[in-house]
Amino acid sequence: MAKSQNNLKQIVLAFHNHHDTVGYLPNNTYTKDGKGLLSWRVLILPFIEQSDLYKQFKLEKPGTARPTRS
């Protein structure tokens, strides 16, 4: 239970830090024609010490729900 509470606390802190950095809470992002780009979970990665994983996503392409492999 303590680990779950800590994980939730980290997510809440990441939301707040994202807001403080970019001015809005993380949300799913979409292209102009409504295709999904990224989940809010991807957007908080840099705020939970997962910047390297975040950098693996092609942020400009729709449908990149998984990290790209080089």
Side-chain angles (χ1 to χ4, degrees), residues 4-70:
S4 295
Q5 287 177 330
N6 185 55
N7 290 343
L8 184 57
K9 185 178 181 181
Q10 294 301 316
I11 291 170
V12 170
L13 287 172
F15 265 69
H16 284 281
N17 289 334
H18 182 281
H19 180 272
D20 291 345
T21 301
V22 297
Y24 57 89
L25 292 172
N27 196 359
N28 295 340
T29 58
Y30 301 92
T31 63
K32 291 178 185 176
D33 60 350
K35 292 182 182 176
L37 280 174
L38 297 171
S39 164
W40 61 267
R41 294 177 299 274
V42 174
L43 298 177
I44 68 167
L45 287 172
F47 301 95
I48 56 171
E49 300 178 1
Q50 294 295 320
S51 292
D52 289 340
L53 179 58
Y54 178 77
K55 291 174 187 174
Q56 293 180 36
F57 285 85
K58 290 193 176 186
L59 305 177
E60 71 284 350
K61 291 191 177 181
T64 55
R66 296 180 199 148
T68 58
R69 303 276 186 236
S70 332

